[in-house]
Amino acid sequence: MNTSQYYLSCEHLEYNVVFFTDRIRVCCGDEIRRSNSLLPGIAIDDINLDNLDDLLSEFRQYKEQIVRDINSNKPIICKGCKYLRKDYWEKKRYF
C-alpha cells in the first residue's frame, strides 16, 4: 500500500528531530540565512519527560502543522529554505 503524498516539505520536517540547548527544533535551518533562535520548536523548559508519548505526539502534530502552513502559502520562516522541495513523502510512524 502506497502512503506517499506529493507536496512541499523537506527531510527534516518529515523525518528528523534536531536538539539545541534551548529547544527541540523541527529542522536544522538554512545556516546561511536564518538565526537558530527563529526556528520553530518546543522549548526545553516546556517539555514533560514523564509522558514521552504525549511529547512525541505533540511534536509530530507541530511539524504537520508547519507543513500544512507551507503548502497553504501562510507566512512562515521555512518559506524559501533551500531544503524545501516538492516530492512524494512517505508517511511514517516516527519523525
Side-chain angles (χ1 to χ4, degrees):
M1 182 173 146
N2 185 355
T3 59
S4 64
Q5 296 176 348
Y6 188 74
Y7 54 90
L8 187 62
S9 191
C10 75
E11 296 281 337
H12 299 289
L13 285 171
E14 294 298 321
Y15 309 123
N16 297 331
V17 177
V18 181
F19 293 92
F20 283 80
T21 56
D22 64 333
R23 299 177 86 74
I24 297 176
R25 308 268 184 205
V26 299
C27 70
C28 70
D30 178 345
E31 305 86 15
I32 295 170
R33 301 182 322 137
R34 307 203 192 298
S35 165
N36 287 338
S37 66
L38 300 176
L39 294 173
I42 298 174
I44 296 292
D45 294 342
D46 296 338
I47 294 174
N48 179 1
L49 293 177
D50 293 336
N51 194 338
L52 193 55
D53 288 338
D54 284 350
L55 171 64
L56 296 176
S57 177
E58 176 187 349
F59 193 70
R60 196 174 303 117
Q61 290 172 15
Y62 185 62
K63 290 172 73 163
E64 289 169 356
Q65 182 61 52
I66 291 169
V67 171
R68 282 192 298 273
D69 289 349
I70 289 169
N71 285 278
S72 64
N73 291 320
K74 289 187 179 178
I76 187 167
I77 193 169
C78 300
K79 287 290 188 183
C81 179
K82 66 183 179 181
Y83 298 116
L84 287 177
R85 70 177 194 273
K86 274 213 164 186
D87 206 341
Y88 286 95
W89 298 100
E90 183 72 29
K91 290 297 172 192
K92 300 184 179 186
R93 293 200 67 213
Y94 54 90
F95 300 107

